[in-house]
Amino acid sequence: MTYNIALLKGDGIGPEIVDSATRVLEAVGKKYGHVFNFTPYLIGGSAIDATGMPLPEETVKGCLASDSVLLGAVGGPKWDTLPGNQRPEKALLGIRAAMELFTNLRPAKLYPALKGECPLREDIVENGFDIMIVRELTGGIYFGERGMRQGQYGEEAYDTECYSRMEIERIAKVAYETARKRRGNLISIDKANVLESSRLWRKIVHEMEKDYPDVVCKDMLVDNAAMQLVRNPAQFDVIVTSNMFGDILSDEASQITGSIGMLPSASLGNTSRGLYEPIHGSAPDIAGKNIANPIATILSGAMMLLYSFDLKAESDAIVNAVDKVLAAGYRTADLAHGGEYLTTTEITDKIIENI
Ligand code: NAD
């Protein structure tokens, strides 16, 4: 098969880590008989420098015409003084909206070889953990009615959380199907003891249970979930939650893995075309030095193979290669704590050797 992938390298370490991911994808293509055609488009600060805009029309068109999109990261001090709507980061919201991506998948996995990176006590993470957070991305309080007004005690500001049946059903469907492909456990996180929108969320999530007899679905209140993530992260398989709760909990979950350079993500919509990117930023402090950890971007490529192209064996080949390289003791600078480390290029070569 031939797949056309739009590359949004972006700024800072973006070009280095995207180049690593494309080399790994090419190695997978060679082994399994697929052709990946990569077309680069400008985004973020580099797009501002070249065109005056963080998200040129040509980039949007290119992404919409592709089979899937791989993004590095955007932003850097050079563009920090620009007004909010002209900043590189504005392009991220723009491309997600243009591609109508309503699901954000964020895995948080603690690799046995990297247990020492986890800030939690050793006995809590003895067996590691592997969580997939399914976050609703285009609804809820971040997109609800908002405003300012004069109230009895001076000025007031308000934001509204509103979820429709359609929005809840489509995200719950992704969550059930994700759980089905993993360990079959789904925890839906809400605040149904207080919020009306959460009560509708909970009702609809459970209405859909009958279509997924192979998945066990339970509810958890968001305050309890925040505690449980640090008390016993291994109890979670798939989490589904609203935009704001997912925003907060996915950052908490990423921190307990202790390694920001390792975590991929996927944003999906109604088509197989997705946007895949590491969760970290453009790391301007280490850009151009060939020391960035490319694994989050390489694993984003693995997520693309699974979620956009349904190539499970090929995706697993990347994940297993990363596992092997870490288990063999190879580390990038961010994980080496002053000890010996491999450069971005060298760790990529090691991963390719293990494909
Ligand atoms: P950051 O994630 O870029 O960096 C935080 C720290 O983690 C830095 O010390 C960095 O060197 C390190 N780090 C990050 N990724 C790494 C990797 N792959 N390998 C090794 N070390 C890594 O966050 P920040 O410093 O707050 O932001 C820098 C810029 O990135 C800002 O302009 C910010 O707006 C932007 N940003 C972009 C995105 C995105 O493109 N999705 C996300 C977050 C931040």
Side-chain angles (χ1 to χ4, degrees):
M1 286 286 285
T2 298
Y3 300 94
N4 296 313
I5 300 173
L7 294 182
L8 308 179
K9 298 186 183 185
D11 311 312
I13 59 170
E16 299 163 58
I17 54 180
V18 169
D19 286 348
S20 288
T22 54
R23 284 177 54 215
V24 171
L25 286 170
E26 271 164 356
V28 170
K30 205 167 162 197
K31 174 159 181 192
Y32 290 87
H34 306 296
V35 175
F36 298 111
N37 293 323
F38 300 109
T39 313
Y41 294 95
L42 291 169
I43 193 165
S46 47
I48 295 174
D49 288 352
T51 71
M53 283 175 294
L55 183 63
E57 193 50 42
E58 200 194 330
T59 298
V60 175
K61 276 194 195 142
C63 290
L64 292 177
S66 71
D67 295 322
S68 213
V69 181
L70 184 65
L71 169 71
V74 299
K78 184 175 176 192
W79 306 282
D80 274 352
T81 49
L82 291 172
N85 63 348
Q86 291 165 32
R87 285 176 58 116
E89 293 80 359
K90 187 79 185 157
L92 298 175
L93 296 179
I95 192 65
R96 285 173 195 150
M99 291 175 67
E100 297 179 14
L101 306 170
F102 60 83
T103 301
N104 188 219
L105 293 184
R106 286 233 332 220
K109 177 171 163 181
L110 181 65
Y111 291 82
L114 297 182
K115 249 187 249 171
E117 302 297 320
C118 177
L120 299 180
R121 241 180 24 228
E122 218 179 309
D123 59 306
I124 298 177
V125 291
E126 214 175 350
N127 301 314
F129 57 81
D130 181 359
I131 307 169
M132 179 67 84
I133 299 188
V134 181
R135 168 189 170 196
E136 201 288 327
L137 201 57
T138 52
I141 196 161
Y142 293 175
F143 291 86
E145 196 190 320
R146 70 191 59 191
M148 299 274 292
R149 63 190 170 204
Q150 279 304 314
Q152 201 184 343
Y153 303 105
E155 57 188 346
E156 294 176 349
Y158 62 93
D159 302 276
T160 339
E161 172 95 346
C162 177
Y163 268 111
S164 67
R165 171 171 283 276
M166 180 278 289
E167 288 172 310
I168 300 169
E169 278 178 356
R170 69 182 182 180
I171 193 76
K173 182 168 185 277
V174 175
Y176 275 111
E177 281 169 11
T178 305
R180 171 173 271 179
K181 287 186 197 147
R182 288 172 47 104
R183 304 190 296 278
N185 287 310
L186 176 62
I187 294 190
S188 170
I189 294 176
D190 61 37
K191 188 71 184 168
N193 53 344
V194 178
L195 300 177
E196 203 58 47
S197 52
S198 279
R199 285 192 275 273
L200 180 66
W201 178 283
R202 193 176 275 211
K203 180 176 128 189
I204 293 172
V205 166
H206 285 288
E207 278 174 15
M208 295 170 66
E209 231 176 331
K210 62 175 184 334
D211 299 329
Y212 301 90
D214 46 340
V215 176
V216 177
C217 176
K218 292 189 182 141
D219 304 298
M220 192 178 278
L221 294 172
V222 64
D223 36 354
N224 184 27
M227 289 193 295
Q228 294 300 329
L229 271 173
V230 289
R231 258 188 103 213
N232 178 15
Q235 71 185 288
F236 295 100
D237 175 15
V238 178
I239 286 173
V240 62
T241 193
S242 63
N243 200 344
M244 182 165 67
F245 295 160
D247 188 6
I248 299 165
L249 293 176
S250 60
D251 267 19
E252 184 187 359
S254 69
Q255 283 310 300
I256 58 172
T257 69
S259 48
I260 193 172
M262 299 282 305
L263 300 173
S265 79
S267 299
L268 309 170
N270 271 327
T271 69
S272 61
R273 188 189 312 112
L275 177 72
Y276 298 83
E277 57 181 313
I279 70 153
H280 58 72
S282 58
D285 51 335
I286 57 165
K289 296 183 178 163
N290 196 23
I291 55 168
N293 185 346
I295 294 180
T297 316
I298 290 171
L299 292 173
S300 299
M303 288 187 85
M304 177 188 289
L305 297 185
L306 183 61
Y307 291 100
S308 281
F309 306 151
D310 208 15
L311 300 175
K312 184 160 183 351
E314 291 82 339
S315 175
D316 285 348
I318 298 181
V319 175
N320 293 337
V322 169
D323 280 348
K324 275 193 205 151
V325 167
L326 293 173
Y330 296 110
R331 299 287 182 269
T332 40
D334 52 318
L335 302 172
H337 304 289
E340 261 185 52
Y341 65 83
L342 298 186
T343 62
T344 310
T345 324
E346 287 166 346
I347 195 115
T348 307
D349 291 341
K350 284 278 169 228
I351 292 168
I352 290 170
E353 274 169 31
N354 282 280
I355 292 285

